[in-house]
Amino acid sequence: MTPDWVKDAVFYQIFPDRFRIGQGPLGQPAPVREGFEPWEAPPTLRGFKGGNLWGVIEALDYLQELGFNALYFCPVFSSTANHRYHTSDYFQVDPILGGNEALKRLLEEAHRRGMRVILDGVFNHCGRAHFAFQHVMENEAASPYRDWFHIYKFPLAAYTKHPNYAAWWNNPELPKFNTSSPECRAYLFRVAEYWLEQGIDGWRLDVPNEIDDDEFWREFRRRVKAINPEAYIVGEIWDDASRWLQGDQFDAVMNYPLGRAILGFVGGEALDKDLAARSGLGRLESLGALAFHHRLEDLFGRYRWEVVTAQMNLMTSHDTPRIFTLMRGQVERVSLAFALLFTLPGAPMVYYGDEIGMPGGHDPDNRRGMIWDPEGWQTHIQETIRRMAKLRRLVAPLRYGRYQYLYGQDGHLAFARSHGTESVVVAVNAAPEPWRAQIPLHGIWSRGERAVDLV
Amino acid sequence: MTPDWVKDAVFYQIFPDRFRIGQGPLGQPAPVREGFEPWEAPPTLRGFKGGNLWGVIEALDYLQELGFNALYFCPVFSSTANHRYHTSDYFQVDPILGGNEALKRLLEEAHRRGMRVILDGVFNHCGRAHFAFQHVMENEAASPYRDWFHIYKFPLAAYTKHPNYAAWWNNPELPKFNTSSPECRAYLFRVAEYWLEQGIDGWRLDVPNEIDDDEFWREFRRRVKAINPEAYIVGEIWDDASRWLQGDQFDAVMNYPLGRAILGFVGGEALDKDLAARSGLGRLESLGALAFHHRLEDLFGRYRWEVVTAQMNLMTSHDTPRIFTLMRGQVERVSLAFALLFTLPGAPMVYYGDEIGMPGGHDPDNRRGMIWDPEGWQTHIQETIRRMAKLRRLVAPLRYGRYQYLYGQDGHLAFARSHGTESVVVAVNAAPEPWRAQIPLHGIWSRGERAVDLV
């Protein structure tokens, strides 16, 4: 069973170093307060801007007012990297973020508002600063952690370009865990359990395909669901995810294929395909309405319906250019793409700042400091998201209804979604010119019933 | 004011990796359970034997029955070294030791028995695996922790023989903190406060003279005493400690000069001076009773009396050869040395295993796995310590009374200790032959009063 709450969720993705600096109490240990890059300066690969979880707490009202009811955080644990994918300690929230105390408060404040919180779980590899790896660095074969990694030779060449141990993409900064070591495995499961016990609502799994072991993920699921049956397990799988979506591993995946299709349909000639191609989005195809529809049908037919409605649907993230830049600043196209994202089956997810039309090219440019001055906001996009989130909240078919094709030609698509006795028709004009057409309703409304324009 | 409880304390020093393996519940994170050196094998410089705090809890009855009422632990925080002086994380008890949970339980169990617990505070330097140092390793000048260390040049050469940053004894494994950085300073003080809040009874300070800043230690004291006015602050100062014992920095120091004097007086021709000289004990001098007395008088006169009675008196530790080996296995001399240690002013401290006459030369040989099979015990030494600890507990002058010289010649010394209306005479024969003498009492007992033989 996939968690019910996800079907009602509207996710907001936060990259903690770049979202907001809050003035919380000193953490444990005291976070550093100085020595950061200026907030407005172009981000650098190694620089820190000092965003923290106290800042997120301060922004919860802003997010709630826009209609977000779920937060997905890029990693928050102690790390040597500004993106925090290089984990130093899985049991400690990074001191710069405010430490464990700040996360505890954030969970309380979010839950008080009915908002869910999921964290990024990086279980395939750790940072070379991780205590177990450092233990092996120092003690080599005498370390009881020697089996936690795949070591080819001592001494470890961790600070060279040629790691002599298994590492993610052969990057010496990221030693791969040996998940077949019972103690290492137990450690990782314990991490997953611990944070659920602390109150998080699920895990987004980083590169889970790299742990090529279905039994690992089955046990992961059993342990997670034993603590919270409604916990959400969503994997970062960029392509077909059937292997993991049989009900015994993940609840859902990050639905990049859907996002790629929306971009291809809505983007038109504005779409910067070259920029997209340099990211995980890959080569985007321009899609007419019919081709887009076929893509959707394929995607929605591939997995069980309870998976489809629990998918994390997104177009952009910290791993892609920003949608505003992909659409070359065409605000209407960005707004339309979000409108589609919010009306299709699955839980929509918005990357921080995309709701205000922040620009951003390739990493690290897509990770700029959030703009908090409304002068810098593209309010048309923001208003679209606010309205679509509200619509989705008020209109159950947008959350639970099956996708039903009605009409598709050139840049024009209409589809219906029905749930119980309610039906919604969504008509999209992705072309630059106004559009009028007769849309066959195929009996989704009974004869004589009156339609209401919700937009 | 020095803490009153210390004057009544009998300390036992525990080297956690080597004392006892207990079977506690899994910690946070799960400790490794396998991959250790055999307990009985000669210790190696980098090997781990897997002792843990659950084992200490199991042994509390043993220690209490011997008369110990205070434990001094070598470092317990997360570390890459078996001695744990290379701290990785000051807020985490090492997972192998059982994690924070095990220390919490240990504190509860010790306090329930009226036993105090002090921890080893290594504030001058950390291990190169420490999160802040690793942060600077990865991010160099972009790290907000860059000022926490004394860095001469980037990139850091931390895994070479020539560190380009300040390090303890130029050992690249031990980067020296920049204690003049306000944030680094705040961090270290927070560590000190945190563990007092968790219930420890004081700090033994590792190489505190290396932080050449009286104001640092004054603020350290203010913060520590604000949380627990009875907390004990005892510095590792091997020689004259006047600078730190004016009342505004430490309560006391590790009284190696007293230990050296006892060894010099009691050791006689048995004493292995060459072995001692290769440790911090330095060159030991053979002392006759009068010379020994003069040494004592000098030591007891050097500091205020409330400091003298709160000193941590010891002969051996993890930094010296074991007393059994220093005395070439002469059990009587070892026992006599301990008897003296327990009858002189100041709190006696016994290094784990010395009470059962474990042998041990230079590091790492002085850190063997504790012998738990009574077949391997020198029970004469153990019995002496049990009796002397009991005597010290029952006879207040042994804890509070001033040292008063009565008689000294060759290997024969007699002194008195008086407190209130009670007086004790201690007569020591450090020579191999029996000894009879008239000892002038200088009026310490009123005429007509009867003396009782306490031994």
Side-chain angles (χ1 to χ4, degrees):
Chain A
M1 289 290 292
T2 57
D4 282 335
W5 67 266
V6 178
K7 293 143 197 172
D8 301 332
V10 180
F11 281 97
Y12 190 78
Q13 181 187 359
I14 291 176
F15 188 94
D17 188 56
R18 305 294 156 77
F19 186 58
R20 190 182 173 96
I21 298 176
Q23 299 302 324
L26 289 175
Q28 195 82 280
V32 291
R33 294 281 196 188
E34 289 175 16
F36 298 112
E37 287 181 354
W39 193 257
E40 294 77 13
T44 59
L45 279 170
R46 286 294 185 180
F48 290 74
K49 293 200 182 291
N52 59 37
L53 299 187
W54 300 112
V56 178
I57 294 172
E58 290 174 6
L60 288 176
D61 289 342
Y62 165 82
L63 296 173
Q64 190 172 28
E65 194 275 328
L66 281 175
F68 294 104
N69 59 13
L71 306 178
Y72 143 42
F73 281 90
C74 281
V76 298
F77 304 133
S78 191
S79 171
T80 53
N82 58 36
H83 47 67
R84 299 194 169 86
Y85 281 94
H86 296 40
T87 314
S88 306
D89 186 339
Y90 290 81
F91 287 100
Q92 292 295 312
V93 173
D94 196 288
I96 297 175
L97 293 180
N100 290 5
E101 188 188 351
L103 180 60
K104 181 164 183 278
R105 274 289 297 285
L106 171 67
L107 289 169
E108 288 166 4
E109 289 295 323
H111 289 164
R112 201 166 61 75
R113 289 171 171 82
M115 298 170 89
R116 310 281 178 149
V117 176
I118 70 169
L119 297 186
D120 206 327
V122 190
F123 297 120
N124 175 66
H125 49 261
C126 57
R128 61 187 162 190
H130 186 272
F131 81 92
F133 188 76
Q134 287 288 322
H135 207 280
V136 181
M137 283 281 297
E138 301 278 1
N139 303 297
E140 305 190 346
S143 172
Y145 298 105
R146 59 190 171 260
D147 293 333
W148 286 36
F149 304 95
H150 303 271
I151 288 163
Y152 309 141
K153 203 177 168 199
F154 289 118
L156 290 177
Y159 295 87
T160 70
K161 293 207 158 86
H162 304 287
N164 48 9
Y165 49 88
W168 184 72
W169 284 35
N170 214 33
N171 179 344
E173 298 176 27
L174 298 172
K176 181 174 167 66
F177 280 120
N178 174 13
T179 46
S180 65
S181 146
E183 288 183 336
C184 176
R185 209 172 169 99
Y187 168 74
L188 294 172
F189 291 147
R190 189 68 204 117
V191 171
E193 291 174 333
Y194 178 77
W195 291 107
L196 284 160
E197 290 164 3
Q198 304 309 303
I200 70 164
D201 299 289
W203 286 106
R204 176 268 188 189
L205 301 173
D206 187 60
V207 298
N209 53 313
E210 302 264 351
I211 299 179
D212 187 14
D213 175 354
D214 292 335
E215 197 41 53
F216 180 91
W217 292 117
R218 286 191 192 106
E219 185 167 355
F220 182 89
R221 182 184 183 86
R222 284 192 295 270
R223 298 224 189 185
V224 162
K225 300 283 181 174
I227 289 167
N228 179 1
E230 282 287 289
Y232 185 38
I233 303 173
V234 54
E236 182 203 15
I237 301 291
W238 289 69
D239 296 303
D240 186 84
S242 308
R243 171 177 175 184
W244 298 278
L245 295 178
Q246 301 301 315
D248 58 346
Q249 298 189 48
F250 310 158
D251 292 312
V253 295
M254 295 178 79
N255 202 352
Y256 281 108
L258 181 84
R260 284 202 295 263
I262 297 176
L263 292 170
F265 173 53
V266 176
E269 75 287 351
L271 196 60
D272 189 340
K273 292 181 182 171
D274 291 338
L275 178 61
R278 281 183 278 138
S279 77
L281 289 173
R283 291 225 65 86
L284 295 177
E285 241 179 289
S286 293
L287 299 174
L290 256 181
F292 177 56
H293 155 64
H294 288 306
R295 215 47 91 77
L296 294 180
E297 218 169 34
D298 171 58
L299 284 169
F300 300 144
R302 195 176 288 180
Y303 312 120
R304 287 167 298 126
W305 183 245
E306 64 159 355
V307 172
V308 172
T309 50
Q311 290 278 71
M312 182 185 267
N313 287 349
L314 76 165
M315 299 179 293
T316 52
S317 72
H318 67 293
D319 279 333
T320 74
R322 285 191 175 276
I323 189 166
F324 184 82
T325 298
L326 282 169
M327 297 288 198
R328 299 190 209 263
Q330 295 202 8
V331 166
E332 291 77 11
R333 289 194 194 266
V334 174
S335 298
L336 183 60
F338 275 120
L340 255 173
L341 189 76
F342 276 72
T343 51
L344 288 169
M349 194 279 273
V350 177
Y351 179 49
Y352 88 97
D354 278 359
E355 84 278 18
I356 52 166
M358 275 176 65
H362 207 263
D363 171 15
D365 190 46
N366 57 349
R367 302 170 183 184
R368 300 187 195 178
M370 172 73 177
I371 297 170
W372 287 105
D373 178 356
E375 291 291 315
W377 292 356
Q378 298 289 349
T379 51
H380 186 271
I381 304 172
Q382 195 183 34
E383 187 51 35
T384 301
I385 285 174
R386 182 185 286 113
R387 287 169 64 204
M388 299 312 295
K390 186 173 176 191
L391 215 53
R392 202 176 158 89
R393 186 166 66 250
L394 297 177
V395 180
L398 289 178
R399 287 172 279 143
Y400 314 126
R402 299 229 170 220
Y403 167 85
Q404 189 182 344
Y405 172 75
L406 297 178
Y407 177 96
Q409 199 174 333
D410 304 328
H412 313 134
L413 176 75
F415 59 89
R417 300 192 60 198
S418 303
H419 178 71
T421 58
E422 280 188 294
S423 291
V424 181
V425 170
V426 179
V428 179
N429 175 15
E433 306 79 26
W435 166 50
R436 292 185 71 90
Q438 291 285 340
I439 297 171
L441 290 181
H442 300 306
I444 57 162
W445 282 310
S446 315
R447 197 169 290 273
E449 241 177 320
R450 260 189 65 195
V452 180
D453 182 355
L454 293 167
V455 181
Chain B
M1 290 290 293
T2 57
D4 282 335
W5 66 266
V6 177
K7 293 141 196 173
D8 301 332
V10 180
F11 282 97
Y12 190 78
Q13 180 187 359
I14 292 176
F15 189 93
D17 189 56
R18 306 295 157 75
F19 186 59
R20 189 180 174 98
I21 298 176
Q23 298 302 325
L26 288 175
Q28 196 79 280
V32 291
R33 294 281 196 189
E34 289 175 14
F36 297 112
E37 286 181 355
W39 193 256
E40 294 79 13
T44 59
L45 278 171
R46 285 294 185 181
F48 289 75
K49 293 200 183 289
N52 58 36
L53 299 186
W54 300 113
V56 178
I57 293 171
E58 290 174 6
L60 288 177
D61 288 342
Y62 164 82
L63 296 172
Q64 190 173 28
E65 193 274 328
L66 281 175
F68 294 104
N69 59 12
L71 306 178
Y72 144 41
F73 281 90
C74 281
V76 297
F77 305 133
S78 190
S79 172
T80 53
N82 59 35
H83 46 68
R84 298 194 169 86
Y85 281 94
H86 296 41
T87 314
S88 306
D89 186 339
Y90 290 82
F91 287 100
Q92 293 295 313
V93 172
D94 197 289
I96 297 174
L97 293 181
N100 289 4
E101 188 188 349
L103 180 59
K104 182 165 183 276
R105 274 290 297 284
L106 171 66
L107 288 169
E108 288 166 4
E109 290 295 323
H111 289 165
R112 202 165 60 76
R113 288 171 171 83
M115 298 170 90
R116 310 282 178 150
V117 175
I118 71 169
L119 297 186
D120 206 327
V122 189
F123 297 119
N124 176 65
H125 49 260
C126 58
R128 60 187 162 190
H130 186 272
F131 81 92
F133 188 75
Q134 286 288 323
H135 207 281
V136 181
M137 283 282 294
E138 301 278 0
N139 303 296
E140 307 191 346
S143 172
Y145 299 105
R146 59 190 171 261
D147 293 333
W148 286 35
F149 303 95
H150 304 270
I151 290 162
Y152 308 141
K153 202 177 167 195
F154 290 118
L156 290 177
Y159 295 86
T160 70
K161 292 207 159 87
H162 305 287
N164 49 7
Y165 48 88
W168 185 72
W169 284 34
N170 215 34
N171 179 344
E173 299 176 25
L174 298 171
K176 181 173 168 64
F177 281 119
N178 174 14
T179 46
S180 66
S181 146
E183 288 183 335
C184 176
R185 208 171 169 102
Y187 168 75
L188 294 171
F189 290 147
R190 189 66 205 117
V191 170
E193 291 173 335
Y194 178 77
W195 290 108
L196 284 160
E197 289 164 4
Q198 304 308 304
I200 70 165
D201 298 290
W203 286 105
R204 177 267 189 188
L205 301 173
D206 187 60
V207 297
N209 54 313
E210 302 264 352
I211 300 179
D212 186 13
D213 175 354
D214 293 334
E215 197 41 52
F216 179 92
W217 293 118
R218 285 191 193 107
E219 185 167 355
F220 181 90
R221 181 183 184 86
R222 284 192 295 269
R223 298 224 188 185
V224 162
K225 299 284 182 174
I227 290 168
N228 180 2
E230 282 288 289
Y232 185 38
I233 303 173
V234 55
E236 182 203 14
I237 301 291
W238 288 70
D239 298 301
D240 185 83
S242 308
R243 171 177 173 183
W244 298 278
L245 295 177
Q246 301 302 314
D248 58 346
Q249 298 189 49
F250 310 158
D251 293 311
V253 295
M254 296 180 77
N255 202 351
Y256 281 108
L258 181 86
R260 285 202 295 264
I262 296 175
L263 292 169
F265 173 53
V266 176
E269 76 287 348
L271 196 60
D272 188 339
K273 292 180 185 175
D274 290 338
L275 178 61
R278 280 183 280 138
S279 76
L281 289 174
R283 291 224 67 84
L284 295 176
E285 244 179 287
S286 293
L287 299 174
L290 255 182
F292 177 56
H293 154 65
H294 288 307
R295 215 44 91 80
L296 294 179
E297 216 167 37
D298 172 57
L299 284 169
F300 299 146
R302 194 176 289 179
Y303 312 120
R304 288 167 299 126
W305 183 245
E306 65 160 352
V307 171
V308 172
T309 50
Q311 290 278 72
M312 181 185 268
N313 287 348
L314 76 165
M315 299 179 293
T316 52
S317 72
H318 66 294
D319 280 332
T320 73
R322 287 191 174 277
I323 190 166
F324 184 83
T325 298
L326 283 169
M327 299 287 200
R328 298 189 210 265
Q330 295 202 8
V331 166
E332 292 77 9
R333 288 195 194 264
V334 175
S335 298
L336 182 61
F338 276 119
L340 255 173
L341 189 75
F342 276 71
T343 50
L344 288 169
M349 195 280 274
V350 177
Y351 180 50
Y352 87 96
D354 277 359
E355 82 278 16
I356 52 167
M358 276 175 64
H362 207 263
D363 170 16
D365 190 47
N366 56 348
R367 301 170 184 185
R368 299 186 195 178
M370 173 74 179
I371 297 170
W372 287 105
D373 178 357
E375 292 291 314
W377 293 356
Q378 298 289 348
T379 51
H380 186 270
I381 303 171
Q382 196 183 35
E383 187 51 34
T384 301
I385 286 175
R386 182 185 286 112
R387 286 170 65 207
M388 297 313 294
K390 186 172 177 192
L391 215 54
R392 202 175 159 90
R393 186 166 65 249
L394 297 176
V395 180
L398 290 178
R399 288 172 279 141
Y400 315 127
R402 298 231 171 220
Y403 167 86
Q404 188 180 347
Y405 172 75
L406 297 177
Y407 178 96
Q409 200 174 336
D410 304 330
H412 312 133
L413 176 75
F415 59 89
R417 299 192 60 198
S418 303
H419 178 73
T421 58
E422 282 188 292
S423 291
V424 180
V425 169
V426 179
V428 179
N429 175 15
E433 306 79 27
W435 166 51
R436 293 186 72 89
Q438 293 285 340
I439 296 171
L441 290 181
H442 300 306
I444 57 160
W445 281 310
S446 315
R447 195 169 292 273
E449 243 179 321
R450 259 189 65 198
V452 180
D453 182 355
L454 292 167
V455 179

